[in-house]
Amino acid sequence: MKIALAQINTTVGDFAGNTARIIEFARRAHELGAHVVMFPELALCGYPPRDLVERPAFLDRCERELAQLARQLPPIPAIVGYVRRSGAKQGKSAADAAALLSGGRVALDYTKILLPFYDVFDESRYFEPGEAAAVYALQEERLGVTICEDAWNDKNFWKRRLYPQDPVEETLRAGATVVLNIAASPYTQGKIRLRQEMLRTIARERRAAVAYVNLVGGNDGLIFDGSSCAFNARGELCARANSFAEDLVIFDTSGPADLHPEPASEIGAVSQALELGARDYVAKCGFRKAIVGLSGGIDSSLVSTLAARALGPENVHGVSMPGPYSSRGSQEDAEALARNLGIDYRTVPIGPIFESYRAALESAFGRAPCGVTEENIQARIRGNILMALSNQSGALVLSTGNKSELAVGYCTLYGDMAGGLAMIADVPKTLVYELARYINGQGQGSGPIPEACLTKPPSAELRPNQTDQDTLPPYDVLDAILRSYIEENLDAREIATRLNFDLDLVRQIIDRVTRAEYKRQQAAPALKVTAKAFGTGRRLPIANKFVE
């Protein structure tokens, strides 16, 4: 049997666009001789729809569109993810479902059983879980349909399971010979390899073929890598789709493998993820161009480089805003970067504006020392300039703060935090440098990011001779502490013992993370690439007195 994995990029609520993609890929699968084609989870309505599923009109539209799609498809059975009414007398009114469409009708309808409730997932808030396996006989095979999380509870792979049920096991007990899993599994570092090993284990240990199709594209802060794949009953990889791009691959259960290229490295995958996330966020939110404040530092250099790759250099505007403490070298680095990238570049000095602020506030401040207040004024002036240019041109401002800064509050509300998308807000500072070196090493020559950006001490340049390490530990130390605390949930003593760091330093960093929560909850959406990003996947109270 030939099973087509149709890895498509959908947009939440774009029923016309999503339907067109489904029909186009179904046609291509039919022309390639496939016997059935699989589409990702909630492909018809887009993922994640969140509170839209609580609106009756959204459910009505999705059900109508599915019925119409069944009549429009080419003559090939298609498994399509969609939202429908649950029909439950009690509980949630919506269900996360998969319909097998054949001959103009719904031949099988399956409801997702396992509803994830951790990290960015909150599906038990919206959906009523299914209860029964679904198996469909087609030619010589019996196809067992499952949805995403249904496959993430295998006792042979996970040391600790989250659910008492195992839908894959139940599906095989019901007579399935091939397990089909349609998914919307977001990317994080290491996820592609983890996913493949999990599916391989299911195939090998259960002695059943497994075909998996994953969503691709960016929706808000989530990035879906695709990386669809299939394994035969021996656990051998027989089909693999591209990562971070739409693709169609054929899993022939008795034929040759169809293996498309995979990312050459994890750092390359992160770069591709950020580009895809930015490209889709800008386009799906109705923008065409982006604006980046260019300081001559490594963060803004990386953001503008990724933006130019994602959107095209003609759609990126770089703005230098030198202030009273901006070094000549940083201004030259910003200009050189813009020239290397081929992006629009302009300069708007903030010195006169800053002096007018100081004069206006002199009577209010009196003799009190300004210090950080004057530093924040400079950052907020720059934020105002970028937003003014955004209003004037219709371009989206990309903020340039990284995860390390956002974690400890080393950022200014309404200043460098201003923007519509925080492109690297889930990228620790050490990873920022890795990405910059990776990009510079991809082509011939020295790469677009000036070498000085990689070697000079990082600085906000908001006071004379300032460096980040005036108030922060070295970034390799800071990032190790943050990763242990935020992603691994270790306490201060555990972190200090494991990393051999001073306990007081670890406690100080954790305290800064706690106190900066109010800032993070006002930040622009961030593209998620690590196991635990700030935002919907990490929900902590702002008013919080808890101390471990």
Side-chain angles (χ1 to χ4, degrees), residues 80-152:
V80 179
Y82 78 114
V83 171
R84 59 161 166 75
R85 296 183 185 278
S86 67
K89 293 181 180 179
Q90 295 181 343
K92 305 300 181 183
S93 61
D96 184 337
L100 193 151
L101 307 177
S102 180
R105 66 183 184 87
V106 178
L108 175 146
D109 200 305
Y110 169 77
T111 301
K112 186 176 184 178
I113 295 174
L114 302 186
L115 302 176
F117 52 87
Y118 53 85
D119 194 37
V120 298
F121 305 106
D122 202 4
E123 292 185 9
S124 56
R125 169 187 172 102
Y126 303 113
F127 300 124
E128 186 69 11
E131 298 177 348
V135 178
Y136 183 80
L138 184 65
Q139 295 193 344
E140 71 279 10
E141 304 286 1
R142 289 177 58 81
L143 308 177
V145 179
T146 60
I147 301 176
C148 204
E149 189 80 355
D150 290 336
W152 289 73

Side-chain angles (χ1 to χ4, degrees), residues 519-543:
K519 287 187 178 182
R520 289 191 293 272
Q521 292 198 26
Q522 298 180 67
L527 299 178
K528 175 179 167 65
V529 294
T530 71
K532 183 66 68 174
F534 297 124
T536 58
R538 187 177 185 272
R539 309 172 197 182
L540 292 175
I542 296 174

Side-chain angles (χ1 to χ4, degrees), residues 206-546:
R206 308 288 185 176
R207 298 180 181 178
V210 176
Y212 169 90
V213 64
N214 191 30
L215 182 66
V216 69
N219 280 307
D220 293 349
L222 298 182
I223 304 161
F224 300 90
D225 56 279
S227 309
S228 303
C229 57
F231 296 86
N232 64 21
R234 295 183 297 276
E236 297 167 337
L237 182 64
C238 296
R240 181 181 61 218
N242 288 318
S243 298
F244 307 106
E246 288 191 320
D247 203 5
L248 181 71
V249 293
I250 302 295
F251 171 38
D252 189 336
T253 57
S254 59
D258 185 9
L259 303 178
H260 295 190
E262 62 182 345
S265 65
E266 193 60 52
I267 194 70
V270 175
S271 179
Q272 287 180 270
L274 293 170
E275 290 175 39
L276 175 60
R279 183 185 306 116
D280 275 1
Y281 187 90
V282 169
K284 292 179 181 182
C285 291
F287 295 91
R288 291 185 299 108
K289 297 179 181 292
I291 295 175
V292 183
L294 298 184
S295 67
I298 189 64
D299 296 322
S300 63
S301 296
L302 178 62
V303 169
S304 53
T305 300
L306 291 169
R309 289 159 63 116
L311 308 176
E314 69 280 5
N315 293 315
V316 178
H317 302 290
V319 185
S320 172
M321 296 168 285
Y325 309 112
S326 300
S327 68
R328 183 61 196 161
S330 291
Q331 295 175 59
E332 291 171 350
D333 291 338
E335 186 172 1
L337 174 78
R339 185 170 57 249
N340 294 342
L341 293 175
I343 65 175
D344 172 70
Y345 178 75
R346 63 193 71 180
T347 300
V348 182
I350 71 165
I353 305 173
F354 178 53
E355 289 305 320
S356 67
Y357 263 77
R358 295 175 69 179
L361 291 169
E362 185 176 2
S363 60
F365 287 170
R367 296 180 178 275
C370 291
V372 173
T373 301
E374 287 194 346
E375 293 181 31
N376 287 340
I377 287 173
Q378 294 169 69
R380 289 180 177 128
I381 290 170
R382 292 184 171 117
N384 273 329
I385 290 171
L386 291 174
M387 293 309 301
L389 293 171
S390 173
N391 291 156
Q392 188 70 14
S393 65
L396 182 75
V397 174
L398 302 177
S399 62
T400 60
N402 61 64
K403 186 175 188 176
S404 308
E405 296 169 348
L406 194 62
V408 296
Y410 192 66
C411 48
T412 302
L413 275 173
Y414 327 120
D416 55 305
M417 291 178 66
L421 177 66
M423 196 168 170
I424 60 169
D426 194 35
V427 180
K429 187 75 167 189
T430 49
L431 184 55
V432 168
Y433 281 103
E434 286 184 58
L435 283 164
R437 293 189 183 98
Y438 167 78
I439 290 171
N440 270 6
Q442 278 191 300
Q444 297 179 348
S446 58
I449 299 175
E451 184 63 22
C453 297
L454 289 159
T455 56
K456 64 187 175 186
S459 170
E461 295 191 335
L462 296 174
R463 64 173 184 265
N465 303 314
Q466 181 185 37
T467 69
D468 292 3
Q469 264 60 76
D470 293 342
T471 52
L472 298 176
Y475 277 113
D476 57 342
V477 173
L478 176 62
D479 285 352
I481 295 171
L482 294 175
R483 181 170 55 253
S484 299
Y485 179 64
I486 296 166
E487 297 181 30
E488 300 179 44
N489 279 321
L490 300 183
D491 63 29
R493 194 170 296 279
E494 290 172 323
I495 296 170
T497 300
R498 175 190 286 189
L499 301 178
N500 196 27
F501 289 163
D502 178 72
L503 179 59
D504 287 339
L505 171 65
V506 175
R507 284 174 171 160
Q508 290 169 17
I509 297 303
I510 291 175
D511 181 60
R512 292 190 66 164
V513 173
T514 302
R515 288 188 286 112
E517 187 63 34
Y518 79 101
K519 287 187 178 182
R520 289 191 293 272
Q521 292 198 26
Q522 298 180 67
L527 299 178
K528 175 179 167 65
V529 294
T530 71
K532 183 66 68 174
F534 297 124
T536 58
R538 187 177 185 272
R539 309 172 197 182
L540 292 175
I542 296 174
N544 173 19
K545 297 293 186 182
F546 175 71

